[in-house]
Amino acid sequence: MIKHKAHIYTDVFRSFDTTDLNNIHIFSGRVLDDRGRELLSVFSDSKSNIHLVEFNANQMQFSIDGHVIDFNDSKYLESIINIENNVMIDSTTLGLPEIYYLIKQFINLNFLEFKIIYIEPLTYNKDESDEFYRLSHYPIGYKPIPGAVGDLHHDDLELGIFFIGFDSSRMEIALEEFQMIQGKLIKTIFATPAFSSGLEMESIVPHLNILTDNPKFEIDFCSALDPTSSFEMLNFYKRSLDDGKKLFIAPLGTKPTTIATALFANLNSDVSLLYDHPMNLENRTSGVKDWHIYSVYLTPIV
C-alpha cells in the first residue's frame, strides 16, 4: 500500500462563488438547516453534480446516490468522477463515517487533490429551558467504523484522544461503555480559539465534572477553525508513542477536528476510531456566517 503525507490549506469566504469552476462533483448529506439550504442554492446549477452520501450505522452500509457500495470498492465512484473534476466533500451535512469513507475512496482512485467544505452557522440554537446546547441525539450509540476498528482492551493501545464539543454526555457514555479505556493515557482536547469568542466555555464547563472525576486525564487545546491544527496534533501524539503502541481517536468536537481525524485515520491504518453516530436535529443552527474551504493535497511517500 502506498503511504501519503498530507497538507491542508484553509480559505475563508463570506460567500462561495463557483463561477470559475467546472465539472464540480460535491458529495453531501441531507439538508437540516440554513447551511444545507445555502449549499444547495450555490451548487444547484448545470455545472455542479450533487451526490447524496449516507452511512447507516445499524446496517453498516455506505451509500452514494442510493447505491450501497463496499467501503473499499471504488468502482461506482470511478464511474462518475475523474481526475480532471473538481471534487468536494461538504462536511457540514456529513458525519465522520461518510467523510472517512469518501477520503478512503479518493485515495484508492489516486485523487491527490480535493476540497472539504465547512459552512459556519450564524448561531447555534439553544432551548431556553436548557443551560447547555443540545444539537443532536444519539439513538444508535457507539458502533464500530469498519476499517478503523481496534481492540480497546489490548495493551498495545496506549493512548486515547477525545476531541470535545458542547455535549458532555458523549464522553460520559464512552467512559461508561468502555471502562477499559480509563486505564489508558487520555488526552481531552478543547477547541480554542473557537469559531466565535466565548463558545470554548460552552465546551469546557459541561466537561468539568468528567475532568474532576478523572484527574489523570490530560488537557490540551487546538484550533476550532482549522483542521491543520488538530491534524498536526495527531501526528505529534502518534510520533510520541513507543514502538508498537497505538492510539484511538474519539472525534466528538468541531467539524474541523472531525475532518482531521478522518484524514489522519486514512493515512494511518493502525488508528482506531470511537464514534457514537449522532443524528443531528433539524434547524439546529440558524443563518450562515462563513464558508471554510479546506484544500487537501496528498503526496505519495516513496
Side-chain angles (χ1 to χ4, degrees):
M1 173 183 279
I2 299 175
K3 289 187 172 292
H4 299 80
K5 59 181 179 180
H7 299 279
I8 309 169
Y9 297 94
T10 300
D11 292 295
V12 182
F13 302 100
R14 186 61 191 88
S15 59
F16 190 63
D17 186 1
T18 62
T19 303
D20 296 329
L21 298 175
N22 294 305
N23 299 318
I24 300 170
H25 287 262
I26 182 162
F27 296 84
S28 63
R30 296 193 179 277
V31 171
L32 295 175
D33 57 14
D34 292 337
R35 297 177 297 167
R37 289 184 278 273
E38 174 93 349
L39 180 89
L40 292 185
S41 174
V42 168
F43 286 96
S44 293
D45 60 47
S46 58
K47 295 190 301 181
S48 301
N49 301 277
I50 303 174
H51 304 281
L52 178 64
V53 182
E54 295 180 291
F55 177 72
N56 185 317
N58 284 320
Q59 299 179 12
M60 292 291 160
Q61 288 183 341
F62 174 62
S63 66
I64 301 176
D65 299 328
H67 298 271
V68 176
I69 58 180
D70 184 86
F71 309 115
N72 296 304
D73 187 351
S74 305
K75 290 180 181 177
Y76 177 73
L77 210 60
E78 190 175 22
S79 72
I80 60 174
I81 60 174
N82 61 62
I83 207 72
E84 297 178 354
N85 296 152
N86 284 292
V87 178
M88 304 179 183
I89 299 171
D90 174 50
S91 72
T92 321
T93 54
L94 296 175
L96 172 69
E98 295 92 347
I99 300 169
Y100 171 75
Y101 288 124
L102 284 169
I103 293 175
K104 180 182 287 293
Q105 299 235 339
F106 291 167
I107 293 174
N108 289 344
L109 292 174
N110 203 34
F111 278 63
L112 302 182
E113 299 179 15
F114 53 90
K115 296 184 186 299
I116 302 179
I117 296 171
Y118 175 69
I119 304 174
E120 184 183 351
L122 196 61
T123 59
Y124 292 96
N125 295 329
K126 181 189 289 188
D127 189 326
E128 292 182 0
S129 64
D130 200 335
E131 182 181 359
F132 303 120
Y133 287 102
R134 304 294 181 191
L135 305 178
S136 308
H137 62 113
Y138 310 93
I140 298 171
Y142 286 92
K143 285 184 176 289
I145 296 177
V149 181
D151 184 356
L152 298 179
H153 289 88
H154 206 283
D155 290 340
D156 66 359
L157 199 149
E158 181 177 77
L159 172 64
I161 300 170
F162 282 84
F163 288 111
I164 297 304
F166 292 144
D167 192 344
S168 61
S169 69
R170 303 178 72 183
M171 188 173 183
E172 289 172 351
I173 292 170
L175 295 174
E176 182 179 335
E177 288 191 11
F178 308 101
Q179 295 187 18
M180 75 292 291
I181 66 178
Q182 297 188 42
K184 313 289 184 182
L185 175 61
I186 298 295
K187 302 280 188 178
T188 307
I189 315 298
F190 292 102
T192 182
F195 278 101
S196 298
S197 178
L199 281 181
E200 66 276 3
M201 296 307 298
E202 299 281 0
S203 295
I204 294 172
V205 171
H207 289 85
L208 290 178
N209 287 339
I210 296 176
L211 297 175
T212 301
D213 293 340
N214 298 276
K216 291 185 178 180
F217 288 7
E218 298 181 3
I219 299 173
D220 211 336
F221 302 91
C222 71
S223 169
L225 293 75
D226 187 354
T228 300
S229 173
S230 41
F231 185 78
E232 290 179 349
M233 175 178 282
L234 291 171
N235 274 314
F236 173 79
Y237 284 143
K238 192 169 193 304
R239 288 195 299 267
S240 71
L241 295 174
D242 293 334
D243 288 346
K245 297 298 184 180
K246 300 177 181 179
L247 60 83
F248 73 86
I249 311 168
L252 312 179
T254 67
K255 194 55 68 79
T257 61
T258 300
I259 293 168
T261 298
L263 180 59
F264 186 80
N266 270 293
L267 302 184
N268 297 273
S269 58
D270 58 345
V271 168
S272 304
L273 298 177
L274 191 62
Y275 194 61
D276 54 355
H277 306 277
M279 296 187 68
N280 295 333
L281 299 176
E282 287 200 33
N283 298 312
R284 61 203 295 262
T285 72
S286 296
V288 172
K289 189 175 180 182
D290 291 321
W291 289 62
H292 298 259
I293 310 299
Y294 306 117
S295 298
V296 180
Y297 298 90
L298 302 175
T299 304
I301 301 173
V302 179

